[in-house]
Amino acid sequence: VVGGLAAYLGNLNVAVKIHRNKLARVRSYMRNANMDQALVQRVLRFYDYLWCRQGGVDEEAVMDELPGPIRKRVAMHVNGTIIDSVPFFALCDDTAKQLIVSILKPKTFLPSDVIAQQGEVGTELFLIERGQGLVSSRDGSIPYCTLGKGDYFGESCLLGATVRVATVTALTYCDCFVLSKDHYNEAMSTYQAPTRRDIDNAVADTVH
């Protein structure tokens, strides 16, 4: 027990050292770039949140190192429930679901960050893993609804180039997974036309 605890503390110290070295490089970069203090504090808050959230583990880097088949199985185990919560992905078979979860990209947003802006051309679907976002008019003066864990937005872009009709702003620290239109098309390329059409129609139904 003592040996195991010592090994754990040793690994933790290594992780803390790596984190501190990264912060030192970030601070040096911001100092050389003459960033204002408010922006500096915002960047440091982002890294502090990642440390609290991941404990120094770069989840994306770990996944990238895994071979394709294992990466898909691990991603399905960790994030499969997110895909299952999206109605139009329920039509996909397990092979397509594994491919989708393996190509999702994690993104973290700080409170008051604009995740999506009304009027911009959307190219990504956002799945909220943790946190809350506010859907509103462009300037935020008219709130429409609040999104939380398991919610998603931007699905219309999967059907083609579309202009976002609302602004989504992070109310809290917000962890999302992002699926680009290109990656969606890659996953759907495994299907014959009738099945692909059914899935696209299901996406269209959620938009309307």
Side-chain angles (χ1 to χ4, degrees):
V1 173
V2 173
L5 181 59
Y8 170 77
L9 292 176
N11 291 335
L12 181 60
N13 288 335
V14 171
V16 171
K17 183 177 180 179
I18 293 174
H19 178 65
R20 287 177 176 172
N21 289 339
K22 177 184 289 186
L23 282 183
R25 293 193 300 270
V26 171
R27 288 177 183 273
S28 177
Y29 168 77
M30 293 189 294
R31 184 169 55 252
N32 293 336
N34 293 319
M35 292 186 183
D36 63 83
Q37 193 59 31
L39 181 56
V40 169
Q41 291 303 315
R42 195 165 185 81
V43 171
L44 294 179
R45 283 172 57 197
F46 170 77
Y47 281 102
D48 285 344
Y49 176 74
L50 287 186
W51 172 257
C52 294
R53 169 78 171 80
Q54 301 176 352
V57 177
D58 189 337
E59 297 176 0
E60 188 172 5
V62 171
M63 294 295 291
D64 288 342
E65 291 179 354
L66 296 176
I70 297 179
R71 181 170 65 249
K72 291 178 182 179
R73 294 181 62 181
V74 171
M76 195 65 190
H77 174 78
V78 176
N79 301 319
T81 54
I82 295 177
I83 292 299
D84 289 336
S85 68
V86 180
F88 45 85
F89 287 144
L91 300 176
C92 298
D93 58 25
D94 290 342
T95 300
K97 287 180 180 179
Q98 288 181 4
L99 177 57
I100 291 171
V101 296
S102 69
I103 55 182
L104 291 175
K105 296 297 182 182
K107 285 190 178 180
T108 298
F109 299 91
L110 275 63
S112 78
D113 277 352
V114 174
I115 303 175
Q117 179 69 56
Q118 179 182 344
E120 70 180 5
V121 176
T123 59
E124 296 172 322
L125 163 71
F126 290 85
L127 307 168
I128 299 179
E129 179 197 17
R130 183 182 286 101
Q132 291 185 321
L134 175 67
V135 183
S136 68
S137 58
R138 181 190 294 271
D139 59 1
S141 60
I142 305 176
Y144 300 139
C145 65
T146 300
L147 303 176
K149 180 178 180 179
D151 289 328
Y152 58 91
F153 58 92
E155 66 273 21
S156 61
C157 78
L158 302 180
L159 303 177
T162 57
V163 176
R164 299 202 187 278
V165 297
T167 293
V168 181
T169 306
L171 293 175
T172 64
Y173 286 96
C174 198
D175 294 322
C176 299
F177 285 102
V178 177
L179 177 66
S180 71
K181 176 186 173 183
D182 290 342
H183 284 155
Y184 170 77
N185 287 334
E186 178 185 345
M188 293 302 102
S189 67
T190 60
Y191 290 112
Q192 298 297 322
T195 303
R196 168 68 186 269
R197 186 163 54 248
D198 289 342
I199 296 174
D200 285 345
N201 288 339
V203 174
D205 288 342
T206 64
V207 174
H208 300 304

